[in-house]
Amino acid sequence: MSLNVFAVGASRNIGYHSALRLLAKGATVTFLLRSPGVFDADTLIQEHIKSGKVRLVQGDALNASNVRAAWAEASKDSPVDVLLYTVGAVGGSFHPLKGVVIDPPNLVTQALTTVLCSMPKSTTTPPPKVIVVTASGVSRSSRKKTPLLLMPLYGYMISGPLQDKLGTERIAGHCAGWEWNPADGEPAAEVLNGDWKATEGLPAPGSLEDTVVLRPALLTDGECLADAAAEQGKALPYRCGPGEVGGYTVSRKDCAHFIVEGILQEWETWGGKQLSIAY
């Protein structure tokens, strides 16, 4: 798998584990990192840096100049094949009426917008495949298919971060040319303002048709059960498919397994769809 991958939000968690899998298959991965030092003691990443398979670019995904520099580095030898976008809000504060509040409230949405608007434009080379990780319960229609016991979590405790993820899906779906479900409403104004479609540089509707949006269930730091199952000749331990499969949890490592061993290996099956994954 000699893919050229641009990874945003991959210093840890799903993006990081996906990158390790891709590197093991021979891919080249360019990381956009606010602090490249995060990998100083990472022996696995350091080995790939020495081999030239890993490139580290310091910058902020909210800064257009930084993102353009990262795109340039990622595509200096060949066009980017895959944009892996796994940015997630970290921390936040608790508000008794709003639940978890993140600052800014549209961090993930705005970062994706910046990344897509900064994407190199070419008349001869097709745009990269785009994989965007959001979350189960992100929309009204998806929450109806999640476990009943999680309703207070999705509807109140993390409703703010989910609005940000909804904005991310709105942007990704628009550029992919997907029809938006009116029943889901529009993201809150603090996430996407009314004229967001006029954002300079935003890819035209349908221009990024090779897009996948993946909604994981609640994420854990558990091991990759899929690898263990494969060693034992067993079926995949997670459920995945279009729409909302419903479920309580899934590990970050199993999400990475599905991204690399499932989505990218079987793009004809999974490409161009909104998917979900859960145990």
Side-chain angles (χ1 to χ4, degrees):
M1 183 183 285
S2 57
L3 293 173
N4 186 18
V5 180
F6 179 29
V8 183
S11 63
R12 58 181 185 169
N13 297 333
I14 295 174
Y16 173 76
H17 296 304
S18 298
L20 288 183
R21 284 186 172 275
L22 288 162
L23 288 164
K25 292 178 177 292
T28 298
V29 181
T30 299
F31 292 82
L32 175 61
L33 302 164
R34 283 181 292 180
S35 176
V38 70
F39 290 148
D40 284 353
D42 191 315
T43 56
L44 291 174
I45 294 294
Q46 289 299 321
E47 289 178 7
H48 291 295
I49 291 175
K50 292 175 182 177
S51 71
K53 287 294 188 177
V54 162
R55 301 167 181 173
L56 307 182
V57 178
Q58 184 172 12
D60 190 327
L62 296 174
N63 184 302
S65 178
N66 292 169
V67 176
R68 285 193 295 270
W71 274 113
E73 178 66 19
S75 57
K76 68 179 183 180
D77 295 326
S78 63
V80 171
D81 299 304
V82 178
L83 167 63
L84 178 61
Y85 185 84
T86 56
V87 173
V90 178
S93 59
F94 178 76
H95 188 282
L97 298 179
K98 300 179 181 179
V100 175
V101 177
I102 56 175
D103 184 25
N106 65 342
L107 186 150
V108 182
T109 300
Q110 187 55 49
L112 178 63
T113 302
T114 304
V115 170
L116 295 182
C117 290
S118 303
M119 182 184 294
K121 307 298 189 294
S122 173
T123 58
T124 59
T125 304
K129 295 179 173 66
V130 178
I131 298 177
V132 176
V133 176
T134 60
S136 285
V138 68
S139 65
R140 296 171 187 168
S141 57
S142 71
R143 282 194 291 277
K144 292 179 180 179
K145 299 178 181 179
T146 55
L148 183 62
L149 291 177
L150 295 181
M151 291 296 183
L153 178 72
Y154 291 138
Y156 162 64
M157 185 65 72
I158 59 171
S159 61
L162 286 181
Q163 273 293 308
D164 192 13
K165 294 287 190 177
L166 183 67
T168 304
E169 289 200 4
R170 189 71 173 100
I171 292 289
H174 170 80
C175 296
W178 298 346
E179 183 178 352
W180 185 252
N181 184 355
D184 288 330
E186 292 291 334
E190 62 183 4
V191 173
L192 272 182
N193 59 37
D195 61 350
W196 63 268
K197 293 180 182 179
T199 302
E200 183 178 358
L202 188 68
S207 61
L208 300 181
E209 61 182 359
D210 272 341
T211 291
V212 163
V213 169
L214 177 61
R215 297 174 178 171
L218 294 178
L219 293 166
T220 75
D221 288 324
E223 292 304 311
C224 181
L225 301 184
D227 283 340
E231 292 175 0
Q232 299 169 20
K234 297 182 179 179
L236 287 174
Y238 55 74
R239 295 171 295 117
C240 54
E244 196 74 52
V245 297
Y248 286 93
T249 65
V250 68
S251 77
R252 294 175 172 89
K253 290 182 179 179
D254 272 321
C255 287
H257 180 278
F258 180 46
I259 287 171
V260 178
E261 312 299 339
I263 295 171
L264 286 173
Q265 293 279 22
E266 303 172 24
W267 192 263
E268 295 78 10
T269 299
W270 302 116
K273 297 176 182 176
Q274 178 269 303
L275 308 170
S276 62
I277 178 173
Y279 292 138

